[in-house]
Structure formats: structure tokens, C-alpha cells
Amino acid sequence: MITGAVICEFNPFHNGHKYLLDKIREDGCDCVVCVMSTSFTQRGDVAVYSKFQRCADALTGGADIIIELPVVWAVSSAQRFAQAGCSIIKSLCKVDRVYFGSECGDIEILRKAAKATLDTQVTSLCKDYMAQGEYYPNALQKAVEDIFGKAVADVLASPNNTLGIEYIKSLMDSNIEVRTIKRVGTAHDSADTTEEFASASKIRNDIKEGESSKEFIPCTNVACNNPAFYEYGERAVLYALRNMAGEDFEKLPDVSEGLHNRIYEAVCKHNNIDDILSEIKTKRYTLARLRRILTCAVLGITKNHQNSQVPYIRVLGFSSTGEILLKEARSSSTLPFVINFAKDSKNLCDDAKVIADMETRATNLRTVFEKAPSPCNTDFTQGIIKV
């Protein structure tokens, strides 16, 4: 059995995601493993549908196993996001290939770019550009162009290319092959559509506006009338932020150089998230990074949490093919498996229990952002999803 894996968000699961899974099948994989972020995403935003809903949609759309990427790393930088997802994949000991969608579709130039970002000259130049006020993505791209040329640097300008480069770097110490599939349809975050494809952000916006996106969504069970959006739970976020002291913000991931003081002052001054973000935004900090910081603040995620290692493998659902691979993986994995969360989480070590507790907190908090808040504690009441 040849097993391929993807690290994903499926927020929500749409035709572009199904296209990726279909292409992985066409490339010879018998089993497809998806490591999926849960209640919050890498942008620091809330997931439009629950992880259980998205798991069911992905299994219906062609996945065989859905494994949880714990929220601690789901709301981290691209580097930590990739490292955590890849660590889970490596710990399974049964994955042959990792796939990702990219704008360029050229794995060789992506490998060159990955090596370029690790070059000591590039690292030094990048620091210089950041000292001049550039935020990290621009500084890195400029540094790579200076040393390796425009063709290599240009791939860093596209978000899926950049994330794919982090996957390549995270898997350099393994025997897992990395392959890319060129994205089709619309660009990342585009408001345009084609006959079959729309970006996830376009679909989310349509859902928020009450417009139908069913032509872009392959699974009928995703047609949920109770989505979650950040602004629906804004007061809960403000409450959490206003109960933090200035030194609490200093402990958050990606906070340095006095940023915690700017955040604290903005929280005290403003009464909505957009104004807080506008107040603390500088050329050096992207909005996605700042939103992640605020989400980590609400969830209690610190630098120490994100700098730790993923301590378990939690399975959300599987197909009959996935069940076969799971039986083999459980006997060889380097991490404990969590299948029945209510039961298995009790047997985790203390450090792992901290991560599991944060996951349940995130699952429960997400319900506050729903259009009509649903019951909480679904981590304990929702069983394994089988397709």
C-alpha cells in the first residue's frame, strides 16, 4: 500500500481540495492521510465549520484518515505549522509521500528555494532587511533574490509555495518523498470564480452573506446553516484580552521587541478587534501574525507550548482503507494514539494532557463564534467518524 499525506485546513472542504485528493490517487496512492487543523486556523481565524463536520466532508471527498493538528500549532507561524504537521506524519511511520498544492507546480525550484532559505548569507541579509523595517516574508524574499536570483525568490511570493517550502524543509531528515500538485482554478484569496472552483475565502464570505456556494462544495453535508465567524464572538475575545496584564502578552508566541506593550495599550484603548489590530499593526508585523497572537492570547497558548513537540496522534475519522493502515501504524508509531478522546486522553502524560486540555478549550470556544452557539464538550461526546 502506497500512502500519501497532506497537511490541511479544509476551511471549508471544497472542489479544489477534492481535486488535490483525486490527483494524489491518480499518482498511485492507495491511502490518503490528512493532518487537519481544528477549531482555529493558521491565520488566527475561527474555522467556519467544526473539525468534526470538516472531517466528515473530507472523508466523503476522498480522504482515508483525518488526524488532528492540535490547535497549539494550528495557530502558529508557517514554519511551526509545517513542522508540527510533518512530525505527526513522520511519527505514523507508514507514510510514503507528502503532497501539497502550489502555485508554481515545480518541485525542483521549490527545493532550491527551500535550500536558499536555509543559507547563512540569506539568513544574515534577512536580518538586515528586517532591521530596516521589512516584515519577515518580504525580507526573506529580498535576501533570497540577492543571493540566488529572481527566479528562485519569486516562488516565495505565493502563499502555497511558501508553505510547501516549509514542508520540504521539515522532511529533509526523513525518507518521505515530497511532491507538489499545481493549483487550478482561482488564486489564493481571490474573489473570482470559475465554473468549478472558488477560493476558500470567497466561499467563506458567501456563507457569511447567506449566499449559496454549493457549486464549489462537493459534499452535501457541508451545507450547514450554523457557521462560525470571528466577529460573532468578538465580545468574548475582548473580555479575555481585557483580563490580561501587560506581562501576559509578552509570553505569547511571536511577541518580541516591546510588541506586548503595544498590544496591551491597544486592548485598553479600543472596543473592537479591527481597531486593536490597526493600532498595533506595523510594517514589520502582518495582520495574520497579529491575529494569531490575539487568538493565542484568548486560548492561553504561550511560546513554551508552541516550542514543544506534538505529544500524541488524535484520529478524528477514517474510511475502511484508513482503518487498515491505522492498525498497522499503531503498532509502529513513536507517539501514543488517541482514538476515544474521553478515555485515551486520561492515559496521556502530563505534558500531553496540557495540549489535550487546550484542544477541548478551543473546541468549546469555537461554539461561541457560531451564529447560534451549539453545545460544548463535543471532544468527549463525538465519536470517531467512519465513512
Side-chain angles (χ1 to χ4, degrees):
M1 180 186 293
I2 298 176
T3 301
V6 294
I7 302 167
C8 55
E9 293 190 319
F10 295 157
N11 186 36
F13 187 83
H14 56 65
N15 288 346
H17 298 135
K18 188 175 189 311
Y19 174 85
L20 175 63
L21 299 188
D22 289 345
K23 285 295 182 181
I24 293 172
R25 298 276 186 196
E26 290 175 17
D27 199 40
C29 289
D30 309 293
C31 183
V32 180
V33 176
C34 298
V35 178
M36 186 185 76
S37 60
T38 54
S39 299
F40 292 83
T41 69
Q42 207 259 331
R43 296 182 183 205
D45 208 347
V46 62
V48 66
Y49 295 123
S50 76
K51 60 188 176 186
F52 304 110
Q53 179 72 54
R54 286 149 50 227
C55 170
D57 297 334
L59 290 172
T60 303
D64 290 301
I65 302 174
I66 308 296
I67 294 172
E68 178 180 275
L69 177 60
V71 70
V72 168
W73 298 280
V75 294
S76 63
S77 66
Q79 183 182 38
R80 290 196 188 100
F81 180 94
Q83 288 173 345
C86 289
S87 73
I88 292 172
I89 289 168
K90 287 187 281 189
S91 297
L92 281 172
C93 302
K94 291 294 177 181
V95 173
D96 303 291
R97 305 168 186 165
V98 165
Y99 290 82
F100 63 91
S102 66
E103 287 83 1
C104 73
D106 184 344
I107 193 65
E108 292 307 319
I109 197 165
L110 289 167
R111 286 197 182 105
K112 289 179 182 177
K115 291 178 180 177
T117 62
L118 296 172
D119 185 85
T120 54
Q121 287 181 281
V122 168
T123 302
S124 178
L125 266 176
C126 183
K127 289 179 180 178
D128 291 342
Y129 281 127
M130 289 181 70
Q132 296 169 24
E134 288 287 355
Y135 68 94
Y136 177 72
N138 280 356
L140 180 62
Q141 188 176 343
K142 284 185 176 183
V144 170
E145 183 172 349
D146 288 347
I147 305 299
F148 290 91
K150 191 172 187 302
V152 176
D154 280 352
V155 300
L156 294 170
S158 301
N160 291 284
N161 288 347
T162 302
L163 196 52
I165 286 166
E166 294 301 331
Y167 298 147
I168 292 170
K169 287 156 64 175
S170 296
L171 292 166
M172 283 179 175
D173 63 347
S174 77
N175 294 322
I176 298 173
E177 182 182 0
V178 183
R179 298 189 180 188
T180 190
I181 293 171
K182 187 174 176 61
R183 283 171 55 90
V184 296
T186 59
H188 183 82
D189 278 348
S190 172
D192 298 326
T193 63
T194 68
E195 187 174 339
E196 292 182 72
F197 300 105
S199 68
S201 58
K202 163 66 174 170
I203 294 171
R204 289 193 298 272
N205 188 65
D206 286 349
I207 292 169
K208 186 190 296 186
E209 299 299 322
E211 299 176 12
S212 173
S213 290
K214 62 182 181 180
E215 66 268 35
F216 307 120
I217 299 174
C219 308
T220 55
N221 60 349
V222 81
C224 171
N225 62 1
N226 194 29
F229 290 100
Y230 213 81
E231 48 265 49
Y232 294 169
E234 187 171 53
R235 288 196 176 189
V237 176
L238 288 171
Y239 173 80
L241 295 176
R242 288 180 175 184
N243 276 279
M244 294 177 66
E247 56 267 27
D248 295 330
F249 290 105
E250 192 172 11
K251 299 174 185 177
L252 300 175
D254 296 324
V255 171
S256 60
E257 300 171 337
L259 180 62
H260 62 287
N261 292 322
R262 290 175 59 86
I263 298 173
Y264 179 73
E265 291 169 4
V267 167
C268 293
K269 180 179 178 181
H270 297 291
N271 59 8
N272 67 76
I273 301 303
D274 285 343
D275 286 348
I276 291 172
L277 290 171
S278 295
E279 178 82 12
I280 59 179
K281 175 78 172 70
T282 67
K283 188 178 180 182
R284 189 163 181 174
Y285 298 101
T286 65
L287 280 175
R289 178 178 175 180
L290 295 174
R291 189 176 282 272
R292 282 197 301 270
I293 290 170
L294 294 189
T295 299
C296 286
V298 174
L299 292 171
I301 298 171
T302 67
K303 292 181 176 77
N304 289 339
H305 293 132
Q306 285 195 353
N307 289 332
S308 64
Q309 301 297 313
V310 179
Y312 56 79
I313 297 174
R314 182 186 179 185
V315 180
L316 297 176
F318 51 78
S319 69
S320 55
T321 300
E323 187 172 17
I324 294 170
L325 184 132
L326 279 175
K327 289 178 180 177
E328 298 175 358
R330 292 186 75 174
S331 64
S332 57
S333 174
T334 57
L335 291 177
F337 272 72
V338 174
I339 306 293
N340 181 326
F341 189 85
K343 177 183 175 182
D344 296 340
S345 61
K346 293 178 181 178
N347 299 322
L348 296 172
C349 68
D350 289 344
D351 288 344
K353 284 180 180 177
V354 170
I355 303 301
D357 287 344
M358 285 192 170
E359 192 60 45
T360 58
R361 188 185 311 164
T363 305
N364 291 341
L365 178 63
R366 188 199 158 276
T367 64
V368 175
F369 294 93
E370 291 176 333
K371 190 174 182 180
S374 60
C376 63
N377 284 338
T378 48
D379 276 308
F380 299 97
T381 58
Q382 172 68 54
I384 282 288
I385 298 167
K386 298 180 182 180
V387 174

